[in-house]
Amino acid sequence: MTSDTDLLDDLLRLAAAGGREVDVATDPAAARSRWSTAPLVFVGSDQVQPCLRARLPGRPRLVLVGRSGADNTVFEIAQLIGAEHVALLPAAEPWLVDRFAEPVVERAATGRIVAVVGGRGGAGASVLAGGLAITASRAGLRTLLVDADPLGGGLDLVLGWEQLEGLRWPALTRADGRVDVPALVRALPSRGDLVMLSWDRGDLLDLPAEAMAATIDAGRRGRDIVVVDLPRQFDDAAVVALQAADHAFVIVPAELRATAAAARVAAAAAVHSANLAAIVRGPAPGRLKGREIARALGMPLAGTLRPEPGLCRGLERGEAPAATGRGPLAELCQRLVAEVTGTDAAAA
């Protein structure tokens, strides 16, 4: 991570000498999605202050790279960002080549991150997120459902889990580093293979980006799939989740105004994710086709959702979406989970 072009040229040359390909980020915002999972991170001295302002979580194998004589306080600031080593060029070039040449093992965790966002208010993003999580857990996948929308009313209500004991977001907003996965799973409301992190009914709180980053990292390390219900206006925490997502679905009612609203949401999301796809929900009063809507949004069509009259009644009775494994929502969720995880997500 550096915006110093001369330093970047030197690091790319040294990485090539060590036989290593690298990801490059110019600032903490660009680095955040890989910050916790990369096997090794090099931070240019020009990015120390941005890192401190961004409050990136602590991590091992972090190297601060600068130039000899450029800043006498480099060793002091290395401690501030938690760097394990300081490498000053040109003297440290052989050491850096050796670091690049060391065999590194990517973390075994391969949990898939799925983000869901509504193209407009009431589009059904929370119901889709809940349906995906329920479907994944019924297929035997270790699942984490994350409610990232503080104004959404609470995913615990969508699943009928409001009476379950367990921690909610306010208790975890101080998380600023790696989260112990078994401890997190034990602390959250859960049923079977599904655990959920949602909001309580207390005062509205800001969700720190570092808390979301720590949660996403824990989910990727300890769960098979993480489903995140995003707000339509992306705060820092939502951006973290969106940048980390392997798949992001924008759900859009098949209506003209909904498509216009979704175009704004899609444009904002596209800044942070290249993995966007549309899900179009019927009915279609003007007979708009799913492919037409997806084309207007500039993204592929991941699926369509037929009307399901009994779904709303079931939600009001506290029945989790797709819990029976039957109906349009369950069928769509089974296909999406299978595609995302490479497993058979048919109802168990």
Side-chain angles (χ1 to χ4, degrees):
M1 174 172 39
T2 181
S3 59
D4 183 331
T5 55
D6 292 335
L7 182 61
L8 176 60
D9 287 343
D10 284 337
L11 286 172
L12 292 177
R13 172 175 55 83
L14 297 172
R20 182 73 57 195
E21 293 184 0
V22 296
D23 291 334
V24 177
T26 57
D27 55 34
R32 192 181 290 275
S33 63
R34 285 279 296 172
W35 178 263
S36 297
T37 57
L40 187 61
V41 172
F42 298 89
V43 175
S45 57
D46 61 295
Q47 291 300 306
V48 170
Q49 292 303 323
C51 278
L52 293 176
R53 288 193 295 269
R55 298 183 63 189
L56 293 172
R59 58 151 295 139
R61 305 199 67 183
L62 175 63
V63 180
L64 178 64
V65 185
R67 296 192 182 279
S68 298
D71 190 342
N72 293 329
T73 65
V74 65
F75 290 95
E76 297 177 11
I77 61 179
Q79 294 182 344
L80 295 178
I81 66 170
E84 292 183 351
H85 302 282
V86 176
L88 298 180
L89 301 180
E93 287 194 1
W95 184 86
L96 283 169
V97 172
D98 289 342
R99 298 291 77 71
F100 281 118
E102 288 178 350
V104 292
V105 179
E106 286 282 358
R107 183 170 296 154
T110 56
R112 311 302 289 171
I113 311 298
V114 178
V116 180
V117 60
R120 71 159 193 201
S126 295
V127 174
L128 176 60
L132 288 169
I134 289 290
T135 299
S137 66
R138 293 185 79 247
L141 298 173
R142 298 169 302 163
T143 306
L144 171 62
L145 177 59
V146 178
D147 185 354
D149 187 357
L151 299 178
L155 274 177
D156 54 352
L157 288 173
V158 174
L159 267 61
W161 284 24
E162 63 270 23
Q163 300 301 323
L164 290 188
E165 297 293 331
L167 295 184
R168 265 65 172 180
W169 267 123
L172 295 176
T173 53
R174 292 185 178 87
D176 59 0
R178 285 172 63 94
V179 173
D180 182 73
V181 178
L184 180 66
V185 171
R186 289 193 300 269
L188 296 179
S190 65
R191 281 179 178 165
D193 288 317
L194 174 59
V195 295
M196 180 175 59
L197 180 52
S198 186
W199 296 90
D200 61 12
R201 306 291 178 262
D203 294 337
L204 184 64
L205 299 174
D206 290 331
L207 180 52
E210 53 270 23
M212 177 61 76
T215 300
I216 293 293
D217 175 58
R220 196 182 287 280
R221 287 185 287 117
R223 301 271 92 186
D224 298 312
I225 183 171
V226 179
V227 181
V228 187
D229 181 21
L230 295 176
R232 289 186 300 120
Q233 292 188 335
F234 303 131
D235 55 15
D236 290 343
V239 168
V240 168
L242 192 54
Q243 290 176 339
D246 301 293
H247 299 268
F249 299 120
V250 180
I251 181 167
V252 190
E255 303 167 6
L256 182 60
R257 286 189 63 201
T259 303
R264 291 181 176 272
V265 174
V271 175
H272 307 291
S273 174
N275 304 311
L276 296 173
I279 294 175
V280 177
R281 178 174 66 81
R287 297 188 177 181
L288 289 175
K289 303 296 184 183
R291 295 193 181 281
E292 295 172 347
I293 293 174
R295 190 180 304 115
L297 297 177
M299 63 180 67
L301 180 65
T304 57
L305 187 57
R306 303 190 309 276
E308 191 169 348
L311 180 60
C312 290
R313 292 194 299 271
L315 292 173
E316 289 296 311
R317 293 194 296 264
E319 299 172 3
T324 65
R326 299 186 300 274
L329 177 63
E331 293 170 3
L332 175 65
C333 289
Q334 288 166 18
R335 180 173 62 79
L336 293 177
V337 169
E339 292 174 356
V340 166
T341 63
T343 61
D344 182 1

